[in-house]
Amino acid sequence: MKVRKFTAALFALLLAFACLLAVGCADENGNEDENKPGGGDEVHYTITLSEAEHTITEDLTFTLTATVSPMGTVHWATDNNAVASVINGKVQAKTAGTANITATCGDASATCKVTVTPASGEVTVLQSDVSEYALEAGGAAVPLQFAVYNIAADGTSTRIEDAVIEYSVTDGEDNRFVTLEAGALLPKNRHGETQVRAQYGDIAAYADVAVYDAFISTPAEWCEMLESRSLGEMFLLTEDIDFAGQSYTGMNTSAPADGSSGAFRATVNGGGHTVKNITLSGSGYLSLFGRAYNAKIRNIAFENVTVAATAARAYGLVVSAGGNALVMENISLDLRFAGVPTEGAVLMHTFYGGQLSGIVATVITPNGNTEGDKVKLVRGGTPSASAVYVLGEGALASAGEARAYVHAIAMAWDVNGEKLLDQAYWQYGTATELPELLNR
């Protein structure tokens, strides 16, 4: 069993896009942003901070920058005002210790851990070397990796090797998912999420814990996972998966339907891994996950996904999205059409909406394709979308409802010139067309 440290670096490309978007900042009274997309409708945001950790000497200040998509009001808070305060992103270091500075916009938040060192002397901190402990239900125990450090005024840290740390786990009903065993986490036979608390003297620190039904590392295990129809099951990718020479089976290719019966209803955490060299073939409704209902698919890259059948109806990620709780976030998709499908969508066909966040899609179609309007960005109902970027390479003339469902196609990646392109490089034929690249 492997424990992996998931970091934002796994999706640096997504963050590079997001960091170039505009930001709306709150005033000190925390007034609402009246210009949010949808005219007051529910909006789902993404937010990133310019730093995830910062060490500073007491009595000094530094400024955090929050990047939000779509534009919205940012609210700032600190969990330890005695150590560090914050106003509109400006952090004031007060006394030695640690504080978490959090920026929130709507349902999204991002945190910077601030360590304040004394003007002279040193400060003691407790932290986990793993941001999330991933365990497999019924699997082996995983050692905890908390440590205590002395941090000098110049930022130099020294680990205290003989530090005695006490641990506890609380998850609503005591120890439903994991128990503690000699400084390690022992998973039970049920999935779920909780936190572990570490205590050293009067210093406390926390780390997230997730217990998955199964770890996925092979094409066969992936296809078996797709057969899951149990609401809320949790799966974690622990390796990249290559379908070269392998059949992609297990997805439901029946016509779209709005019910949950027979739909994929699990949580898939890609852990920053890649699933690649997939061929979708046949004459039915083709997609990576088939019908999905209240599923959660995140932190994963799909590379070289080819729709081989020109007579097929191709829907990229999901043939039929039912349930507003459907979430797809932090995903990159490389989708290629061997020919013009009968109809289709880059991302999904939806009945009840769903949430799209932090998605970069490259859509490659044959040159000379004059029927690109058959492939829309999204078909059906209206999902909530933010930080979704699509590049149509080849002759994808239109993706239908692109601007209706994506609040900000502010820029895209030029795969030929290998550079970011802002709005000045794009033109819109109508309000519902995928933007076309200008000759510049």
Side-chain angles (χ1 to χ4, degrees):
M1 180 177 296
K2 299 180 181 178
V3 177
R4 296 181 176 273
K5 183 175 181 180
F6 306 134
T7 69
L10 294 171
F11 287 91
L13 177 59
L14 291 173
L15 295 181
F17 282 125
C19 287
L20 291 172
L21 290 177
V23 182
C25 294
D27 59 27
E28 294 187 13
N29 297 319
N31 294 324
E32 293 293 334
D33 182 359
E34 297 178 355
N35 297 316
K36 67 182 181 180
D41 294 338
E42 182 181 6
V43 177
H44 295 277
Y45 296 88
T46 60
I47 185 169
T48 58
L49 289 178
S50 51
E51 298 180 71
E53 296 185 10
H54 189 94
T55 299
I56 185 173
T57 303
E58 58 187 359
D59 298 326
L60 298 182
T61 63
F62 76 100
T63 299
L64 285 168
T65 301
T67 302
V68 179
S69 175
M71 184 178 292
T73 301
V74 177
H75 299 273
W76 297 90
T78 176
D79 68 351
N80 195 339
N81 194 63
V83 172
S85 61
V86 60
I87 297 178
N88 289 337
K90 184 176 182 179
V91 180
Q92 172 70 59
K94 295 181 177 180
T95 59
T98 59
N100 291 310
I101 305 298
T102 301
T104 303
C105 183
D107 59 351
S109 64
T111 298
C112 175
K113 181 180 179 180
V114 176
T115 301
V116 179
T117 60
S120 60
E122 60 185 20
V123 64
T124 301
V125 298
L126 170 64
Q127 65 186 46
S128 175
D129 293 336
V130 176
S131 59
E132 178 187 86
Y133 291 89
L135 300 91
E136 190 170 22
V142 174
L144 288 164
Q145 299 182 48
F146 284 83
V148 181
Y149 298 88
N150 282 332
I151 302 179
D154 62 0
T156 303
S157 63
T158 304
R159 181 166 179 165
I160 302 177
E161 298 296 341
D162 57 351
V164 178
I165 304 173
E166 297 180 352
Y167 300 104
S168 60
V169 175
T170 302
D171 48 26
E173 300 174 11
D174 288 345
N175 303 330
R176 287 186 298 167
F177 313 123
V178 295
T179 57
L180 290 166
E181 183 179 277
L185 296 168
L186 181 63
K188 293 187 174 182
N189 282 307
R190 64 184 302 181
H191 65 256
E193 297 175 294
T194 183
Q195 282 190 322
V196 58
R197 172 188 171 97
Q199 188 82 32
Y200 176 74
D202 59 355
I203 306 172
Y206 299 83
D208 294 331
V209 178
V211 180
Y212 294 89
D213 290 282
F215 287 176
I216 307 299
S217 62
T218 68
E221 289 173 345
W222 177 272
C223 291
E224 182 179 351
M225 174 195 72
L226 292 177
E227 294 290 351
S228 170
R229 297 294 182 261
S230 298
L231 179 63
E233 282 193 313
M234 296 171 59
F235 300 94
L236 174 69
L237 267 69
T238 58
E239 303 286 344
D240 292 347
I241 298 178
D242 190 347
F243 273 90
Q246 303 285 327
S247 296
Y248 192 88
T249 60
M251 72 288 189
N252 187 310
T253 58
S254 63
D258 60 2
S260 62
S261 177
F264 182 78
R265 303 190 294 170
T267 291
V268 180
N269 182 355
H273 290 290
T274 299
V275 181
K276 60 185 179 181
N277 298 324
I278 297 169
T279 298
L280 301 177
S281 59
S283 58
Y285 291 79
L286 305 180
S287 76
L288 290 168
F289 287 90
R291 288 172 54 196
Y293 186 88
N294 288 355
K296 294 176 175 57
I297 304 162
R298 49 170 63 103
N299 307 330
I300 189 168
F302 295 100
E303 178 184 312
N304 190 25
V305 178
T306 301
V307 178
T310 58
R313 293 171 170 87
Y315 288 93
L317 290 169
V318 174
V319 164
S320 172
N324 286 317
L326 175 80
V327 175
M328 293 191 290
E329 62 184 3
N330 292 348
I331 294 173
S332 65
L333 173 64
D334 170 17
L335 185 63
R336 303 158 185 258
F337 292 96
V340 182
T342 302
E343 64 179 50
V346 173
L347 298 179
M348 66 179 183
H349 181 287
T350 175
F351 285 90
Y352 296 127
Q355 302 173 32
L356 306 176
S357 176
I359 296 177
V360 177
T362 300
V363 186
I364 300 176
T365 59
N367 289 327
N369 172 16
T370 59
E371 300 180 273
D373 60 326
K374 291 186 176 181
V375 180
K376 297 184 176 183
L377 184 65
V378 175
R379 284 183 180 266
T382 305
S384 169
S386 61
V388 177
Y389 305 93
V390 178
L391 171 65
E393 184 186 13
L396 185 66
S398 168
E401 301 135 337
R403 295 191 78 183
Y405 295 117
V406 180
H407 298 309
I409 302 183
M411 57 198 64
W413 184 258
D414 176 5
V415 294
N416 298 311
E418 297 185 354
K419 60 184 178 181
L420 285 172
L421 303 175
D422 60 24
Q423 292 187 49
Y425 285 86
W426 297 87
Q427 65 179 357
Y428 294 89
T430 70
T432 60
E433 287 184 354
L434 188 72
E436 296 179 353
L437 185 62
L438 297 174
N439 292 323
R440 295 200 174 193

